[in-house]
Structure formats: C-alpha cells, structure tokens
Amino acid sequence: MMRRIFFTIAILLFSWNVFSQGIQFEIGSWKEVLQKAKQENKLIFVDLYTTWCGPCKKMAAETFPQQAVGDYFNKNFVNYKIDAEKGEGPELAGKYEVSAYPTLVFVNAAGELVYKFMGVRTADKLIAEGEKAVRLYALAPSIAAMEKEYEQGKRGKVFLGEYYALLKESGAGGGIVLNEYLKCLSDEELLLEENVSNIGNISIFDPVLFDRLVKGIKKVEGENKKLGNRLNTSVMKSLSACFATCVKEKDEKALEGILGVKAGLGNLENGMSAMMGGGKSYLPAEQLRLDFYSNNRLDDKFKTLMSEYMIAQQQENSIDSLRKTEEITNRHFEMLIDSAKMKNDSAAIVSIRKTMGMASLFGGVKYKLLSSFVISATRHYWKITDQQNVGEKKKCIAWVNYAYQLDRTPATAWGCADLLEEIGEKQGAKKLLNDVLEVIKNNSLSDADPKDIQSVTERVEKM
C-alpha cells in the first residue's frame, strides 16, 4: 500500500512538472491581467480561441506545454487565454479585430495592440513571434518620435535613412519613407551594398525612382556583371511587391508603369525565379494584367484579354510541339537506361533517373505554371460570363483541356476535372481522369506518386 502511495505521489509530481514547463496562463479578469502587466512592466500575450477550433486545440496541446516556449513566454509576458465567445472574450475579439482562430495578440499594459498573428505555430516559430513583439514594443517610442518629425516635414537624407532603418528593424516595412530615402541618394550611393538590398524592399511604385534604377542596371552590367545581376534581382523583387500594392489600391496606372519597367529590363520571364522567391514580376505581362483585372472585377477587360491571351498561347505553346519534345526526351533517357541495364550498372541507372527528374523539373516549370494559371483564369472567366451561352461554355471546356495537356499529372488532372464538373461536363471530367491514368501506365519513366494514382482511380470508380 505504501509503495502505491509513493508511486501515486511521484506520478502527480511528474505531471505537475510537465505542466509547469509550458506557458503559465493567468486566471482572472482582463482588468487584473492589465494591472499585473503594469506592475511587472511586461507585454501581455493573449490566446484568443474557441472551443470548436481544431488548430486552437493543437496549439494548446502541442506548442504551449513545451519547456522552451514556457521559459521564454513566462519570463517576458503576462500570459492570458480566453474563449472568444464567452465572458469578456467577445469584447476583446472585437477590440482587436479578430476574424479567425486561433488569433494570438500582444498588447501593452494600457491594452493597446502591439502585434498580432493568426494560425498555428511550432515552438520555435511561436518564440520568434514573441521576439518580434518584444522588438516592436522596444522600438515603438523611437518610431513614434521620428514619425512625428516626419509628419512635421523633416526630410533630410540622414533622417530618412535612420527612420527607414528603424521601420525595417521593426518589421513594419519602409513604404514611402524608403522611396524618399532612395531618391535622396546619388547614382553612386544607390549602388552601395546596403542600398542594393534595400531596393528589393520597395513596395510603392515610383516611376522616377525606377527609371533611375533601370538606367543604373544598364550602366553597371557591362562594368560589373555580378553587381548588375544583384541589382536586377532586387528590382524584380521590388516590382513583385509593387504589383501587390497596385492590385490592392486598384492603381491601373501603376500596373502599366510596372510592366513598362519589366519591358525595359528585357521583359524578364522566368518561371523558376517566380517559384523560388522572385515573385510575380517574373511572370508574363498578360498574366499580370489578367490578375489585376480579376482582382479588381474589371470583367469586360478580363474577358477580352483572356480570349486574346488563350489564342496566342495555343499558337505559341502548341500541344503537338510539346508532345514531340516529350517524346524525344523520353526516348533519349530510355536509351541511356537500357544501355546501363545491359552493363548491369545500377549506379548509372540511379544517376540517369536523377538527371531525368531534374530535366523534367526545370523543363516542365514553364508548362506547369502556365497550366495552373489557365485553370485559375478559366475558373474566373466561367464565373463572370454568360453560362447559358453555348459558345462560352465550349470555350471554357477547350481551355480546361488545354491546361491539362500542358501538364498531364494527377494533380493537374484532378483540378481540371473539378472545373469541368463545375461547368457541367461530368463525362468530360471522367474522360480526362482516365486519360491521365493511361498516360502514366504507358510511360515507363513516370514518377507519379502511387497515392495520387490511387486517389484518381477511386474518383473515377465513384463517378
């Protein structure tokens, strides 16, 4: 009996220790939490959750109890969690404009919002969010003081540089301050190491500034190719951010300016660069225009350009030409693999398959991105067009099938089948799914995931 008692006590102590390792949340009213934060001179970390929110439960069960999280949050914050639908929860959710769960907020002792984010975070990422909140809180007085001077008209080069550096450190971004600072610099200063990096952070399109940057790129390309490439990359990155801003602000003039800069740089189009962080500036100009029109509901412009764009794409990227290229490539690798098999060289076979995979990846990016765009754009076109018009329906069906032919993979076939069923072409969707299964079956070099194949097969059987 005594041994059982000691065992029970040990289990309870162990459970308490595990629990105490994580974040320790305050129990009490919001007023009491604010008072404690004021007394301890700390920020408040608030977990706004709901009982029905799965991700909220995941954070509570997997992230909050971890020792590293507890060590950091218990030291730096007064921690509080509250059901956003009960008690004081709805009032706090309204005050901090919570629209999804979980939403995690950091506020000061006066209840003023310092920083917030939504969604699940792992332990390391949650700590990183906490560090960002602490940094923002520490910088807030300095930023407020410089903001006041800026509003009063202070615009010296040194001041703007210091103000932008502070905004950058806080994570707030430079906005118009960065543009004004860069415009104060001489052509030589623009090409300094720190400013080439800063150029990539521009998010507001300024035609005068970008004109200088394009001229700068052309000037240094012949003298210092490495610097020219870095400057080019920074400008393209900034154009992607400017594009997002012009879409948000419905600024069609800025859109055309951005496309003009792209053209001035050689109208760079690089699918791999777009996928690897360069952003939308590396996509074709017509795609950016269509993206802008769709986001801002310029329906007539979208429909006219989409029809013209698809005619041009089907001519420039014909399926017959694509199939011939695939056939030549596959035949080449099949010959190499057959040769390696005859020599019983398993290492060579592995190497050839890796090379084939890389060739497929780099060679197929263009068509995969084009396929994805056509599916998305066709879906939007179908939503805004006259769905009772037979000609419009046939047009959309043809575009979906073209998108599939560009990238005959299970994932693309699935997306195309979804859209065909939405249009009302269930038999067309089934035919397309059967086709992708046949393509995989007849391609000895296919690297399709067996799980994807099984999913498509099961979907066909249920149709």
Side-chain angles (χ1 to χ4, degrees):
M1 176 64 73
M2 187 63 68
R3 291 175 68 183
R4 281 187 184 176
I5 293 172
F6 280 127
F7 179 75
T8 302
I9 292 172
I11 290 294
L12 290 172
L13 287 172
F14 175 76
S15 299
W16 184 86
N17 284 331
V18 170
F19 177 78
S20 67
Q21 286 175 351
I23 296 179
Q24 296 172 4
F25 290 97
E26 297 296 321
I27 299 174
S29 69
W30 179 237
K31 183 178 180 180
E32 290 170 336
V33 171
L34 290 172
Q35 289 174 342
K36 183 169 184 178
K38 185 176 182 180
Q39 290 169 358
E40 298 184 5
N41 192 28
K42 289 182 178 180
L43 285 176
I44 305 168
F45 168 65
V46 187
D47 170 29
L48 281 152
Y49 69 92
T50 66
T51 55
W52 47 262
C53 168
C56 300
K57 295 175 182 177
K58 181 178 177 68
M59 285 276 283
E62 299 178 10
T63 305
F64 295 158
Q66 293 196 38
Q67 182 172 344
V69 175
D71 289 346
Y72 182 80
F73 275 74
N74 296 335
K75 177 182 178 182
N76 292 285
F77 307 107
V78 173
N79 304 296
Y80 191 58
K81 61 191 307 182
I82 186 166
D83 188 330
E85 297 179 335
K86 296 178 182 178
E88 294 180 285
E91 182 180 349
L92 291 180
K95 181 176 181 178
Y96 300 119
E97 299 180 352
V98 175
S99 59
Y101 300 97
T103 292
L104 298 307
V105 303
F106 296 87
V107 303
N108 61 24
E112 299 166 336
L113 180 67
V114 173
Y115 176 61
K116 73 176 181 179
F117 65 92
M118 294 181 290
V120 174
R121 295 293 190 275
T122 60
D124 290 345
K125 290 185 178 179
L126 182 59
I127 291 171
E129 298 285 12
E131 291 172 341
K132 183 175 182 179
V134 169
R135 187 167 65 250
L136 283 169
Y137 184 54
L139 293 173
S142 298
I143 292 175
M146 296 196 84
E147 182 181 12
K148 185 176 181 180
E149 290 184 273
Y150 178 82
E151 289 175 349
Q152 291 173 347
K154 193 169 184 178
R155 291 294 189 278
K157 181 168 72 174
V158 174
F159 170 78
L160 288 171
E162 291 175 350
Y163 188 19
Y164 166 64
L166 206 56
L167 292 171
K168 182 180 179 181
E169 186 180 353
S170 75
I176 194 66
V177 175
L178 172 58
N179 285 29
E180 291 183 339
Y181 168 63
L182 293 174
K183 288 174 75 172
C184 285
L185 304 179
S186 67
D187 292 342
E188 291 73 23
E189 289 173 322
L190 271 176
L191 301 180
L192 294 176
E193 178 71 26
E194 65 269 22
N195 290 321
V196 172
S197 298
N198 286 337
I199 286 164
N201 296 326
I202 298 172
S203 60
I204 299 173
F205 183 74
D206 183 320
V208 175
L209 176 57
F210 275 97
D211 183 58
R212 287 182 62 197
L213 293 174
V214 171
K215 289 177 180 176
I217 290 173
K218 290 182 176 180
K219 180 181 178 181
V220 302
E221 278 178 335
E223 304 168 3
N224 187 335
K225 189 174 182 180
K226 185 177 180 181
L227 176 60
N229 287 338
R230 287 186 59 252
L231 185 56
N232 202 316
T233 300
S234 286
V235 170
M236 291 299 286
K237 179 184 175 185
S238 68
L239 287 177
S240 294
C242 288
F243 175 73
T245 301
C246 83
V247 170
K248 183 178 179 181
E249 296 181 353
K250 302 180 180 181
D251 189 344
E252 196 167 355
K253 184 177 179 181
L255 168 68
E256 294 305 322
I258 291 167
L259 298 181
V261 173
K262 267 175 59 68
L265 292 172
N267 198 27
L268 296 175
E269 294 174 17
N270 188 318
M272 189 58 72
S273 293
M275 292 177 66
M276 298 300 289
K280 288 189 173 183
S281 63
Y282 283 97
L283 299 178
E286 294 85 352
Q287 289 190 13
L288 295 182
R289 281 198 181 92
L290 287 166
D291 196 347
F292 182 92
Y293 295 158
S294 65
N295 275 285
N296 288 298
R297 291 308 306 267
L298 299 172
D299 294 347
D300 289 340
K301 287 188 174 185
F302 180 89
K303 289 178 67 178
T304 299
L305 181 57
M306 180 63 178
S307 296
E308 294 171 353
Y309 174 73
M310 289 304 299
I311 290 171
Q313 288 306 310
Q314 288 168 311
Q315 291 174 347
E316 295 171 16
N317 298 288
S318 73
I319 300 304
D320 287 344
S321 176
L322 178 57
R323 291 292 91 84
K324 287 177 183 177
T325 301
E326 288 176 348
E327 186 180 343
I328 293 170
T329 302
N330 286 342
R331 193 182 306 132
H332 170 72
F333 282 111
E334 283 174 352
M335 288 173 62
L336 291 176
I337 290 175
D338 288 343
S339 176
K341 285 180 178 178
M342 289 178 65
K343 297 175 183 177
N344 200 26
D345 190 343
S346 57
I349 294 173
V350 172
S351 178
I352 292 166
R353 288 193 175 277
K354 284 184 179 180
T355 303
M356 182 182 69
M358 293 301 292
S360 175
L361 173 64
F362 286 98
V365 165
K366 172 184 176 181
Y367 298 107
K368 190 175 288 290
L369 285 175
L370 177 56
S371 174
S372 177
F373 178 81
V374 170
I375 294 169
S376 175
T378 302
R379 178 171 280 110
H380 181 72
Y381 189 99
W382 178 247
K383 287 179 180 178
I384 64 175
T385 197
D386 178 6
Q387 297 181 1
Q388 304 306 314
N389 186 305
V390 176
E392 292 287 82
K393 184 174 182 177
K394 285 183 177 179
K395 184 188 292 185
C396 289
I397 292 170
W399 291 347
V400 175
N401 282 295
Y402 174 71
Y404 162 68
Q405 291 295 334
L406 287 169
D407 183 46
R408 296 185 299 177
T409 61
T412 296
W414 192 282
C416 288
D418 282 346
L419 184 47
L420 285 174
E421 288 202 75
E422 185 180 326
I423 292 172
E425 285 294 302
K426 185 172 183 179
Q427 288 306 309
K430 185 174 183 179
K431 181 180 178 182
L432 187 148
L433 292 170
N434 275 318
D435 184 80
V436 79
L437 293 174
E438 194 67 21
V439 168
I440 294 168
K441 179 182 176 181
N442 294 330
N443 183 3
S444 60
L445 302 178
S446 174
D447 61 350
D449 190 325
K451 291 181 180 178
D452 292 338
I453 298 171
Q454 182 61 31
S455 295
V456 172
T457 302
E458 290 174 357
R459 179 172 178 175
V460 170
E461 291 172 350
K462 292 177 182 178
M463 294 177 78

